[in-house]
């Protein structure tokens, strides 16, 4: 090879090396930018998933009779609702709070939310008997003075307000 050819080859090679180095830098910068976007989108997705879980829980509460007719008719798109019996005296289901109040009234001693939830699951298998949902129904009864709440250490117990026993001390 002649001297000129070697110089041209070296010049072309250095141009290619510079181009490859620049391409690598752009590639790394683009990867960094995309990783940032992915992290942001992942955070947004996690927030939406938490919101959906919360909204589904609220929707279950409404479906169990704790909401208004308007709230019961609100649906999540794409979700099917179970057919309910026709409204009327014979077809209307009692609210969760009514069922929980009835279960409390049947016992003479205070009951925990877990105990009431277990009884509800056994007596009404078609109803939502999740402990948190039952606890919310119990707290509704306490707020309406239809039940009493007592604490023993870290445990909370509920009793029906219609009992002959004196009302437990407020906490």
């Amino acid at each position: 090879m002649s001297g000129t050819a070697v110089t041209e080859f070296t010049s072309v090679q250095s141009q290619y090396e510079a181009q490859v180095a620049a391409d690598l830098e752009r590639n790394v910068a683009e990867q960094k930018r995309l990783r940032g976007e992915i992290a942001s989108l992942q955070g947004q997705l996690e927030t939406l998933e938490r919101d959906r879980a919360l909204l589904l829980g609220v929707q279950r509460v409404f479906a169990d009779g704790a909401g208004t007719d308007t709230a019961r008719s609100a649906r999540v798109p794409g979700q099917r609702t179970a057919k309910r019996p026709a409204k009327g005296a014979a077809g209307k289901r009692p609210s969760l709070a009514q069922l929980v109040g009835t279960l409390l009234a049947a016992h003479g001693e205070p009951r925990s939310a877990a105990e009431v939830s277990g009884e509800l699951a056994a007596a009404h298998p078609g109803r939502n008997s999740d402990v948190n949902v039952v606890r919310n129904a119990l707290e509704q009864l306490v707020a309406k003075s239809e039940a009493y709440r007592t604490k023993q250490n870290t445990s909370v117990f509920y009793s029906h307000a219609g009992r002959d026993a004196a009302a437990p001390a407020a906490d």
Side-chain angles (χ1 to χ4, degrees):
M1 262 176 137
S2 69
T4 317
V6 172
T7 307
E8 286 179 27
F9 177 75
T10 307
S11 175
V12 170
Q13 183 180 1
S14 62
Q15 287 176 352
Y16 281 130
E17 287 175 354
Q19 182 65 40
V20 168
D23 288 347
L24 282 172
E25 286 179 29
R26 279 193 300 274
N27 184 290
V28 168
E30 185 68 9
Q31 286 182 27
K32 186 176 181 180
R33 183 187 67 80
L34 289 175
R35 282 192 180 97
E37 285 183 27
I38 289 170
S40 173
L41 290 172
Q42 187 67 35
Q44 291 175 15
L45 177 61
E46 290 170 0
T47 299
L48 289 171
E49 288 171 342
R50 282 191 305 270
D51 289 350
R52 182 176 189 275
L54 175 68
L55 290 170
L56 286 172
V58 170
Q59 185 182 42
R60 276 194 300 270
V61 169
F62 286 144
D64 284 342
T68 64
D69 288 337
T70 305
R72 271 191 220 113
S73 66
R75 291 181 21 187
V76 172
Q79 182 176 7
R80 297 179 181 252
T81 57
K83 294 198 177 208
R84 293 195 175 170
K87 288 193 175 187
K92 188 166 181 164
R93 290 177 8 161
S95 71
L96 183 64
Q98 291 170 332
L99 290 175
V100 168
T102 303
L103 289 173
L104 275 182
H107 295 282
E109 71 277 350
R111 314 285 289 170
S112 70
E115 292 170 325
V116 175
S117 176
E119 290 177 37
L120 180 67
H124 302 278
R127 297 301 290 255
N128 184 358
S129 59
D130 179 66
V131 175
N132 289 326
V133 173
V134 170
R135 185 176 296 114
N136 288 339
L138 287 164
E139 289 298 329
Q140 285 177 353
L141 293 173
V142 170
K144 294 189 274 183
S145 298
E146 294 177 17
Y148 297 113
R149 176 189 332 111
T150 56
K151 288 185 180 178
Q152 294 179 357
N153 297 328
T154 59
S155 301
V156 178
F157 296 93
Y158 299 88
S159 57
H160 195 266
R163 284 282 172 208
D164 293 332
D171 47 1

